[in-house]
Amino acid sequence: MEADRRGESSTISLSPSPAWPQWPIADERTLAALQDVLDSGRWAISGPLNDPAKYGKAKEQQFAEQFAEYCGARFCVTMDHGTSALIAALEALDIGFGDEVIVPGLTWIAPAIAVLSVNGVPVMADIDPATLCISVDSVAERITRRTRAIIAIHMYGCMADMDALRALADKHGLVIVEDAAHSHGAVWRGKKAGTLGDIGVFSMQHGKVLTCGEGGAAITDDPVLKERLEASAWNARCRISEAPALPFSMGLTEGLRRFGTNRCLSEFQAALLLDQLPRLDGQNTVREHNARYLERELSEIPGVITMEHPSQIDSRTYYGYVIRIDAQRFGCTAAQLILKLQLVLGMGDFMLHPVYKPLYRNPLYAPHPRRHGALGEAYTRALDTAEIMLPGCELVYEQAVVFHHSVLLASMEQIARVVEAVRTIYFEQQ
Ligand SMILES: *Cc1c(COP(=O)(O)O)cnc(C)c1O
């Protein structure tokens, strides 16, 4: 009915369609997983288990082991958010006051906020409009003697050039935090996303392709970094080595003498992740198939620019399906196209939206979170973004149209309607 009415009020007539897929996806199995946590009596890894023989390892530990194995990493440390995992990664790598960390100038704010959280200086590099990922040339131009790290982010359906970034990092003695919040399961030259940096970071927030509502994880092969990540996430505690044998035993105990705060993932979230992880590869395959179809069809329309995919990517994942609109050739801007498509296809802004604002003028990015006193005057100045202007970020901000990944889980008929709608809008403008 809803779709019918929208169809009538629009100049474009498309047949009414079934609803777009929901995200996240849950079923009876999900409910049973949550019920199991309720019954176990342990709602947090820092809480006691009342029947160890029946419930065994914490859900959190089960997920950490499964996710490490899935990624091909030695260790996984879970967290309450991806942002927490980024902060913990920087802490584990000893990034601190005044250290420069290079981040892309257009992405979600979390990486830059994480750098500010350890009193570092986020240095914004430009992105490559063809992939939306950080430009290696721009990174190279921004390396100074204060640079300590690069946060490489795989954006939407693409991956940052990890080979070139690794070569650059090695040359200058830098570490790489690989933010794989958009790309659970993507593969770069045989290696899963998250295993290409010194520490790989994931978000499991509501919109991500693997989700428990709010959650995160960091993965690494380095046992020292793993211990530090745990300390950082668990108030300096560490896991007791064996699953507790006695009722009401705690899962965490005193650990390293190191700064830590509470970033624990709850057992409910871990249970959701255990339920969702086995679905990930199947969903990624469907999304990749539909994205390739969209790419073939949409690239035929004048003024629509589809994303480039470096040949090193063996397996793509899509947090978002992105096209760019050359307004001159297409006939209207990306922003206008988004509004028209929302109306015609009945998509809310969770499903179809513009790209992030460039960081240096993003209202969510406030570079003066706390007072730094006399010691911090130079630091405060280093955070000033007033002079920053990155042409690649500006171009992408103007041109990008982002479909949320749930759209790629729709039926073939639904996906074909997206193509039809873009084509029709193009012809209307001519
Ligand atoms: C979502 C996201 C994060 C982390 O987000 P949380 O909401 O804290 O889990 C980090 N980096 C990128 C690129 C993201 O999209």
Side-chain angles (χ1 to χ4, degrees):
M1 285 302 283
E2 191 69 11
D4 272 342
R5 262 183 267 121
R6 284 215 186 89
E8 276 167 22
S9 63
S10 166
T11 52
I12 301 166
S13 59
L14 286 166
S15 52
S17 72
W20 293 96
Q22 295 286 307
W23 186 261
I25 295 168
D27 53 25
E28 259 98 76
R29 202 180 78 189
T30 321
L31 201 59
L34 290 171
Q35 184 67 50
D36 197 44
V37 177
L38 284 173
D39 296 344
S40 76
R42 171 180 283 170
W43 296 2
I45 40 166
S46 56
L49 192 63
N50 57 26
D51 189 351
K54 182 164 176 207
Y55 294 102
K57 279 182 197 167
K59 306 285 181 204
E60 184 281 330
Q61 187 173 3
Q62 292 178 39
F63 173 73
E65 289 172 4
Q66 286 187 21
F67 195 60
E69 192 190 334
Y70 175 82
C71 294
R74 277 184 75 192
F75 308 109
C76 167
V77 181
T78 64
M79 315 247 175
D80 54 357
H81 301 97
T83 306
S84 301
L86 281 164
I87 298 170
L90 294 171
E91 284 170 356
L93 293 163
D94 266 332
I95 310 291
F97 184 64
D99 288 339
E100 293 180 1
V101 179
I102 301 178
V103 300
L106 185 146
T107 184
W108 176 234
I109 55 167
I113 294 291
V115 177
L116 291 180
S117 302
V118 299
N119 295 317
V121 179
V123 174
M124 295 170 198
D126 207 356
I127 60 168
D128 176 355
T131 63
L132 270 60
C133 293
I134 199 163
S135 149
V136 180
D137 290 341
S138 182
V139 173
E141 283 166 14
R142 280 159 180 77
I143 294 174
T144 72
R145 59 191 172 76
R146 288 179 298 280
T147 310
R148 292 284 319 282
I150 302 166
I151 303 185
I153 304 168
H154 307 309
M155 289 286 286
Y156 297 114
C158 291
M159 291 180 85
D161 186 342
M162 295 308 290
D163 298 338
L165 288 171
R166 175 54 76 192
L168 195 62
D170 287 350
K171 187 171 154 204
H172 295 274
L174 311 177
V175 289
I176 299 180
V177 175
E178 183 188 357
D179 182 338
H182 288 194
S183 48
H184 315 60
V187 182
W188 177 273
R189 286 205 299 115
K191 295 193 77 183
K192 284 255 170 77
T195 61
L196 300 142
D198 295 272
I199 296 178
V201 166
F202 294 86
S203 163
M204 281 79 159
Q205 181 270 344
H206 182 105
K208 306 293 154 93
V209 295
L210 177 66
T211 180
C212 60
E214 296 278 14
I219 61 173
T220 184
D221 285 338
D222 183 331
V224 174
L225 293 179
K226 172 247 189 189
E227 275 193 343
R228 291 179 179 181
L229 287 165
E230 289 181 347
S232 183
W234 300 341
N235 287 115
R237 290 168 293 182
C238 62
R239 213 192 282 289
I240 57 163
S241 48
E242 299 296 322
L246 294 173
F248 307 112
S249 303
M250 303 290 272
L252 296 181
T253 185
E254 285 175 4
L256 300 179
R257 230 189 145 76
R258 205 182 149 83
F259 172 81
T261 180
N262 186 0
R263 299 176 174 133
C264 292
L265 188 76
S266 90
E267 285 291 275
F268 292 102
Q269 294 162 312
L272 286 173
L273 291 172
L274 283 168
D275 170 70
Q276 297 288 309
L277 182 59
R279 310 174 197 242
L280 175 62
D281 279 344
Q283 292 166 345
N284 277 344
T285 305
V286 173
R287 289 187 196 107
E288 186 169 4
H289 176 268
N290 286 336
R292 282 177 195 269
Y293 168 81
L294 279 176
E295 196 161 88
R296 268 196 315 276
E297 298 294 320
L298 293 176
S299 59
E300 299 288 310
I301 303 171
V304 176
I305 307 161
T306 53
M307 292 290 97
E308 271 175 27
H309 299 277
S311 61
Q312 294 98 323
I313 303 177
D314 300 325
S315 185
R316 295 186 206 163
T317 54
Y318 286 88
Y319 171 59
Y321 179 78
V322 180
I323 53 174
R324 287 193 291 130
I325 298 300
D326 174 344
Q328 291 260 297
R329 294 186 64 211
F330 187 79
C332 74
T333 64
Q336 288 164 332
L337 176 62
I338 289 169
L339 291 176
K340 287 175 199 282
L341 283 177
Q342 283 181 330
L343 208 65
V344 173
L345 296 171
M347 282 179 180
D349 53 14
F350 179 71
M351 301 198 129
L352 178 63
H353 49 86
V355 77
Y356 309 106
K357 271 209 177 85
L359 258 181
Y360 46 90
R361 58 189 176 91
N362 191 320
L364 299 178
Y365 177 74
H368 304 291
R370 45 178 86 92
R371 284 165 52 76
H372 302 288
L375 247 186
E377 271 170 34
Y379 175 65
T380 305
R381 269 199 308 279
L383 301 181
D384 190 1
T385 57
E387 302 291 307
I388 306 177
M389 214 290 292
L390 301 167
C393 296
E394 294 296 330
L395 184 71
V396 166
Y397 179 58
E398 185 189 308
Q399 292 189 329
V401 173
V402 183
F403 294 89
H404 185 254
H405 67 78
S406 56
V407 175
L408 296 177
L409 294 176
S411 66
M412 228 30 239
E413 286 81 12
Q414 290 275 73
I415 304 275
R417 287 181 76 239
V418 173
V419 176
E420 193 47 38
V422 177
R423 195 179 286 133
T424 309
I425 292 166
Y426 164 75
F427 282 119
E428 279 191 345
Q429 312 301 314
Q430 304 309 304

